[in-house]
Structures are given as structure tokens and as C-alpha cells.
């Protein structure tokens, strides 16, 4: 049975002022366009069309909130790497995405979807490197794993784990297939832990975190703060030397 079975579409957010105020814990889903992000959200929610709301005209460039439970949300971010005017991309990043990812205190971590056949692109690396400054965990779903042989799966997971370890010490990686529904229990275990859900006894292998082997990355901050309560320190940390995935 799906851990995220009661997920419903909640709202589309185009401006920081419109972020839900009742959220205590949320997970953002990011990834290159076409990586399989919508399919992964649908699979985790056991709902065939849910995240396609995010593909509807007028909603593709915004944050789409899916409600799990009281105060708990999955947040679908716009796919990156899609050809758009640089000025438009920068405006979207600076006006909404960057401040959301850096300052949203309810954000527990980032689920990053990569096509397992083309993982860890430059934009994916920039995203991990940039988000790592928040100190929050990242869980990578290597999607479309059904398109790889067992040998290729073993190779890709090893190389991506090595790659992300150079960028973040709070990044775990797993294989995932929406088509075959593989990797669902493992993803639920990691994301459910971040959300503080009762994940029960799971037979899934623990997600390996770059850094100490066999450790599941958990969010460090659990304190609930309003948007206005963001600290100047965090702002400073975000600004330096890091390149967001916008070009
Ligand atoms: P998004 O743009 O990242 O939201 O990607 P989508 O979820 O829309 O998926 C892009 C394409 O990849 C679609 O044609 C999906 O049917 C396909 N796709 C997504 N996940 C899988 C998967 O696990 N296996 C296979 N074989 N195809 C997938």
C-alpha cells in the first residue's frame, strides 16, 4: 500500500507571498524536464494523473503543492534545462525558486529526479552543489531504471553515488521505475522519514548516503518558522560562489 496514498492537489504558487502558511513539512521535487518527475510523483502517490496538473498551461513555471496530510506537502518544482530565454529563466530563479529553496523553513529536503540513462548532467550537479548550502538532504531517484540492464543499473548507481559525494555529504541515491513500480518502498522510506510519517517496518534496503555508509540522511532542522523569520545568515550562505541550475 502506498505511503502517500491520500495525496491531493492543493494549490499552484506563483509568488512567495502565496506559499501555504499551514505547511510544517514539505519535500520539493526537482529535475530536468522529461526526467520522469511527474511520473515519479504519480507513482509515489499511486495516482495516475496527479502531477500532470503541473504540466497544465499556466502551471508549468510555478510551484505545485500536493497535500499529503495535515501540514505535509509534496512540492513539484518547474523542470529545468528546458530552452527558455535566459532573462526569463533568471527572473524565475531569482524571484521564486532560489528564495523558496533557501529560506523555506518547512522544506525538509529535495527529491531530485534524474533519467538513469543520462544522470548527473551539469545542471544536476549545479543543483546539488547549490542546494547543499542549505544543509538539507537530497535524495536522487534514478528514473526509468527499467530501460537499463542489471549490469548497467549497478554501474550507474555506483558512478552517481561517487559523483554526488563530491558535491554533498547529505545526498542518497537509488534506482526507480515508474513503469515497473520498482524502488517505491525505498523512496517511501527516505521521504517518509523526512516527513515524519509512520513508515512502519520496511523491507527496502536503506538508502546509501554519500559520506558514512548505510546512513539515511534526515533533515537537521525541524523548527517551524514563518517566511518572515528567515535569518540573514542563511541568505549570506546562499549567495556565495554557487551557481544555480539556470543555464
Ligand atoms: P517530467 O517532465 O520530468 O515530469 O517527465 P514525465 O514524468 O512526464 O516523463 C517523461 C517521459 O518519460 C514520459 O514519456 C514518461 O512516460 C516517460 N517515463 C517516466 N518515467 C518512466 C519510467 O519509469 N520508465 C519508462 N520506461 N518511462 C518513463
Amino acid at each position: 500500500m502506498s505511503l502517500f496514498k491520500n495525496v491531493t492537489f492543493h494549490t499552484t504558487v506563483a509568488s512567495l507571498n502565496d506559499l501555504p502558511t499551514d505547511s510544517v513539512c514539505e519535500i520539493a521535487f526537482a529535475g530536468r524536464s522529461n526526467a520522469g518527475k511527474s511520473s515519479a510523483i504519480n507513482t509515489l502517490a499511486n495516482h495516475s494523473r496527479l502531477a500532470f496538473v503541473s504540466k497544465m498551461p499556466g502551471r508549468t513555471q510555478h510551484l505545485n503543492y500536493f497535500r499529503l496530510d495535515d501540514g505535509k506537502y509534496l512540492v513539484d518544482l518547474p523542470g529545468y534545462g528546458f530552452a527558455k530565454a535566459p532573462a526569463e529563466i533568471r527572473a524565475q530563479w531569482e524571484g521564486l525558486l532560489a528564495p523558496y529553496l533557501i529560506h523555506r523553513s518547512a522544506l525538509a529536503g529535495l527529491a531530485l529526479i534524474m533519467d538513469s540513462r543520462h544522470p548527473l548532467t551539469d545542471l544536476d550537479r549545479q543543483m546539488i552543489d547549490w542546494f547543499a548550502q542549505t544543509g538539507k538532504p537530497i535524495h536522487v531517484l534514478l528514473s526509468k531504471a527499467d530501460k537499463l540492464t542489471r549490469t548497467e543499473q549497478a554501474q550507474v548507481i555506483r558512478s552517481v553515488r561517487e559523483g554526488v559525494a563530491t558535491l554533498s555529504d547529505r545526498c542518497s541515491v537509488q534506482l526507480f521505475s515508474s513503469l515497473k513500480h520498482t524502488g517505491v518502498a525505498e523512496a517511501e522510506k527516505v521521504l517518509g522519514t523526512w516527513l515524519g510519517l509512520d513508515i512502519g517496518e520496511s523491507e527496502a534496503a536503506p538508502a546509501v548516503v554519500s559520506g558514512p555508509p548505510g546512513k539515511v540522511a534526515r533533515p537537521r532542522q525541524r523548527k517551524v518558522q514563518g517566511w518572515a523569520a528567515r535569518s540573514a545568515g542563511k541568505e549570506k550562505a546562499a549567495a556565495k560562489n554557487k551557481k544555480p541550475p539556470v543555464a
Side-chain angles (χ1 to χ4, degrees):
M1 192 165 48
S2 171
L3 186 67
F4 301 141
K5 63 184 181 306
N6 293 323
V7 184
T8 51
F9 173 71
H10 182 68
T11 189
T12 294
V13 172
S15 143
L16 294 170
N17 295 330
D18 298 333
L19 290 166
T21 51
D22 69 334
S23 178
V24 290
C25 201
E26 59 196 44
I27 294 175
F29 282 70
R32 281 181 64 94
S33 300
N34 220 35
K37 178 164 56 72
S38 304
S39 303
I41 294 173
N42 287 333
T43 299
L44 289 169
N46 203 14
H47 193 308
S48 61
R49 304 282 312 156
L50 186 73
F52 286 105
V53 166
S54 308
K55 293 189 182 278
M56 285 160 68
R59 288 178 170 166
T60 52
Q61 299 310 313
H62 301 146
L63 310 182
N64 288 290
Y65 270 76
F66 299 96
R67 190 178 176 281
L68 269 168
D69 205 345
D70 280 347
K72 302 196 176 178
Y73 294 95
L74 305 180
V75 186
D76 193 5
L77 306 187
Y80 52 78
F82 200 62
K84 265 187 290 177
E88 195 189 333
I89 298 171
R90 204 169 306 117
Q92 180 198 41
W93 184 263
E94 289 171 4
L96 182 62
L97 294 175
Y100 166 76
L101 287 167
I102 291 292
H103 298 300
R104 181 70 165 168
S105 54
L107 182 63
L110 183 69
L112 188 54
I113 319 302
M114 297 180 197
D115 187 325
S116 57
R117 297 165 303 167
H118 318 285
L120 218 48
T121 62
D122 287 348
L123 292 179
D124 295 327
R125 286 176 189 280
Q126 284 172 28
M127 182 57 137
I128 295 171
D129 193 31
W130 185 83
F131 187 76
Q133 300 168 85
T134 64
K136 293 177 183 177
I138 301 170
H139 188 57
V140 175
L141 299 183
L142 293 170
S143 66
K144 311 186 194 182
D146 55 276
K147 291 185 182 259
L148 302 181
T149 64
R150 290 227 168 222
T151 309
E152 288 169 336
Q153 288 181 354
Q155 281 167 351
V156 78
I157 199 156
R158 193 179 330 110
S159 71
V160 173
R161 277 179 179 154
E162 284 171 9
V164 299
T166 64
L167 302 168
S168 164
D169 62 357
R170 307 211 68 211
C171 191
S172 47
V173 182
Q174 69 157 97
L175 293 161
F176 192 84
S177 166
S178 294
L179 188 72
K180 301 279 185 194
H181 285 237
T182 50
V184 174
E186 188 177 353
E188 284 182 344
K189 184 170 180 181
V190 176
L191 305 182
T193 302
W194 291 0
L195 289 166
L197 298 177
D198 180 10
I199 55 174
E201 287 302 306
S202 171
E203 290 172 13
V208 175
V209 176
S210 54
K215 199 175 128 201
V216 174
R218 288 165 200 274
R220 285 191 186 115
Q221 301 169 316
R222 279 296 203 201
K223 219 163 104 194
V224 181
Q225 289 181 324
W227 173 257
R230 69 193 188 217
S231 75
K234 279 192 210 164
E235 196 145 13
K236 220 159 109 195
K240 289 213 172 137
N241 301 329
K242 299 283 180 183
K243 218 169 135 202
V246 293

